[in-house]
Amino acid sequence: MVTDAERRAADASRARLGALTAPLLARPGVSWGRMFSTEGLGIRGKIFAVVVHDGGLMVKVPEPRADELVADGAVVRMVMRGRELREWVVSAPAASDAEWLALVEEAYVYLDEITP
């Protein structure tokens, strides 16, 4: 169950993500879409960045890159139903705007390459 505090944090982070990534929406194929009961940024229908329930930013990157980011302590792996997801990592809500933008850009480039 999501708490009121988590809901407020997620709402604030979604607004932050929207403001930070507004220029991305001008790129071909980029739009908002649904994933995990929330909205996220996608390309040609595939989501690459979404805010999770605690306000963190979840992005999809190649597994080797996810391994590097986790090892550096920049992010943690996304865990769903007790299972770590190979390509999905979560950055803390307290991460800087520059860190969020770098992750979003990296996720965009990855999904743009693998999405027909």
Side-chain angles (χ1 to χ4, degrees), residues 13-76:
S13 289
R14 275 190 289 280
R16 176 184 175 197
L17 180 62
L20 289 173
T21 61
L24 274 174
L25 293 171
R27 295 181 185 176
V30 177
S31 62
W32 288 101
R34 303 268 322 149
M35 181 175 167
F36 303 132
S37 301
T38 190
E39 286 192 346
L41 283 170
I43 182 158
R44 295 182 294 282
K46 299 291 185 178
I47 301 297
F48 62 87
V50 65
V51 171
V52 294
H53 73 274
D54 70 352
L57 173 68
M58 182 174 73
V59 297
K60 184 171 184 164
V61 295
E63 185 176 8
R65 180 61 177 143
D67 293 340
E68 291 173 9
L69 290 167
V70 170
D72 289 345
V75 300
V76 296

Side-chain angles (χ1 to χ4, degrees), residues 55-104:
L57 173 68
M58 182 174 73
V59 297
K60 184 171 184 164
V61 295
E63 185 176 8
R65 180 61 177 143
D67 293 340
E68 291 173 9
L69 290 167
V70 170
D72 289 345
V75 300
V76 296
R77 286 246 193 241
M78 180 62 183
V79 177
M80 294 190 107
R81 297 184 180 107
R83 183 178 145 263
E84 286 187 350
L85 302 182
R86 296 178 305 115
E87 297 182 316
W88 288 97
V89 295
V90 180
S91 178
S96 71
D97 287 354
E99 290 168 312
W100 270 31
L101 279 172
L103 287 170
V104 168

Side-chain angles (χ1 to χ4, degrees), residues 2-10 53-54:
V2 177
T3 67
D4 287 341
E6 288 174 328
R7 189 171 289 111
R8 284 190 299 276
H53 73 274
D54 70 352

